[in-house]
Amino acid sequence: MVIVTKPGTRNEDILRLRMEIESKGFIIHESRGENFCVLGVVGDTAKCDIRNIMVHEFVEKVLRIQEPYKKANRLFHPEDSIIDVAGVPIGGKKIQVIAGPCSVETRDQIISVAEDVKAAGSLLLRGGAYKPRTSPYSFQGLEEEGLDLLKEARAATGMPIVTEIMSVDKLDRFVEDVDMIQVGARNMQNFDLLKQLGKTNKPILLKRGLSATIEEWVMSAEYIMAGGNNNVILCERGIRTFETYTRNTLDLSAIPAVKKISHLPVVVDPSHAAGLWWMVEPLAKAAIAIGADGLIIEVHNDPENALCDGAQSLKPDRFEKLMKSLKVIAEAVDRTI
Ligand code: PEP
Ligand code: MN
């Protein structure tokens, strides 16, 4: 971190600032020009709040050289992380596709969709039991019963299950029953939830917040990792922009950006990004082409009557067609699917 003071700053102010920073264990390299004094701060500046330095009137600017995240940072972990989800690796050469309905609705629905997506080549089953709905009058999910039905679908197909947690008080049940815990876009900055997830060793699928910057998103991964859980998978699911044609705007550039700054795997959710079933295939292809490690796709056996997100859900036969069409893209970028 570099601190530059304003011209004419009194020597005693600079000394006081030096003492304040040195007392926290940092080493300071000072260099003085005719007008400015530059202090180079060496140490774990991730723990240093820039605002506490900017508060001094005589400080002109503070520049961070190192990013505020450490455990998620590729700098300290150059090789790609591969996260094991109940025997299914995410982040390796094979692109993993997580598929299933937005919400678990009935036993027949979840088991039939699970069998269909498995037959098409998906190794991981998704399905919401607790749903974060904009309206309190919309279907809120089957909750506990939804988790039970997911377990039945896992027993029937052997597929590990991925589902969203909304509240810390359900954590024990999720740790017990779920193979990968999803943190939804709306909870990306629920710091208490992130801290508690950091105390587990469950794989966490961390969705990007609706208006979160890439750094805020990676900082949320850092929260989980700081607690000791390194099993984090990032999920780009579209961000809020001025565009209303699609539900969100898929930020494809986030994939190479995150891969550059972090070693964590990245999966893409084209379903929530587009909100339109016919756009899922082209966006999924683009995501694979640009380097995503996986996809999470909503599939429903009866989208017209789905209790949630039918408009963006693929029917099983279209999902099967999509999986076939992704093969050629995966091969072109030296991956398998
Ligand atoms: C979901 O995956 O069903 C979901 C609610 O996603 P998001 O948090 O990305 O909106
Ligand atoms: Mn959904």
Side-chain angles (χ1 to χ4, degrees), residues 105-336:
E105 296 173 11
T106 63
R107 177 177 290 107
D108 286 353
Q109 174 243 19
I110 189 66
I111 291 181
S112 118
V113 175
E115 283 168 348
D116 287 341
V117 297
K118 183 182 176 186
S122 165
L123 299 185
L124 296 152
L125 177 66
R126 68 150 287 151
Y130 293 86
K131 294 306 302 175
R133 304 303 302 275
T134 303
S135 165
Y137 308 115
S138 302
F139 175 60
Q140 302 287 307
L142 295 183
E143 305 182 342
E144 298 267 337
E145 192 196 339
L147 293 179
D148 291 338
L149 294 178
L150 277 171
K151 282 170 68 182
E152 284 192 38
R154 176 174 58 196
T157 59
M159 298 174 86
I161 50 180
V162 184
T163 194
E164 177 170 351
I165 192 165
M166 298 232 297
S167 152
V168 174
D169 49 278
K170 303 289 184 312
L171 186 57
D172 289 346
R173 173 91 210 259
F174 273 69
V175 169
E176 176 88 18
D177 288 338
V178 169
D179 299 297
M180 173 150 71
I181 303 178
Q182 177 173 323
V183 176
R186 290 152 193 85
N187 269 312
M188 188 206 83
Q189 284 190 319
N190 181 340
F191 298 118
D192 193 36
L193 180 60
L194 301 178
K195 280 185 199 164
Q196 297 306 319
L197 291 168
K199 294 181 190 163
T200 75
N201 61 2
K202 276 280 155 186
I204 310 296
L205 183 69
L206 179 65
K207 291 194 134 192
R208 182 179 181 182
L210 277 73
S211 301
T213 65
I214 288 169
E215 185 167 293
E216 285 165 343
W217 183 24
V218 175
M219 286 304 284
S220 288
E222 188 78 13
Y223 255 92
I224 300 168
M225 298 173 87
N229 184 358
N230 291 329
N231 300 315
V232 182
I233 293 155
L234 298 167
C235 176
E236 161 62 40
R237 45 77 73 205
I239 50 173
R240 278 274 161 89
T241 69
F242 51 82
E243 184 54 72
T244 54
Y245 189 91
T246 46
R247 183 172 179 184
N248 292 286
T249 298
L250 181 61
D251 183 8
L252 281 173
S253 61
I255 299 142
V258 152
K259 293 235 140 236
K260 185 173 165 62
I261 63 176
S262 177
H263 52 90
L264 297 173
V266 188
V267 313
V268 168
D269 176 346
S271 309
H272 290 88
L276 302 161
W277 67 267
W278 56 268
M279 218 184 259
V280 170
E281 179 171 328
L283 293 181
K285 286 178 172 167
I288 299 303
I290 207 169
D293 298 297
L295 296 163
I296 177 165
I297 294 179
E298 287 187 344
V299 179
H300 199 288
N301 52 350
D302 182 13
E304 289 87 350
N305 293 302
L307 296 180
C308 186
D309 287 352
Q312 66 195 36
S313 299
L314 295 182
K315 290 183 181 159
D317 59 333
R318 287 215 168 88
F319 177 70
E320 194 191 341
K321 187 179 146 278
L322 163 68
M323 290 294 277
K324 287 200 177 110
S325 74
L326 290 177
K327 276 205 168 66
V328 48
I329 311 285
E331 275 162 28
V333 291
D334 198 25
R335 314 266 312 243
T336 59

Side-chain angles (χ1 to χ4, degrees), residues 84-101:
D84 180 89
V85 182
V88 178
I90 303 189
K93 190 169 163 113
K94 180 169 163 48
I95 286 157
Q96 299 295 358
V97 182
I98 307 161

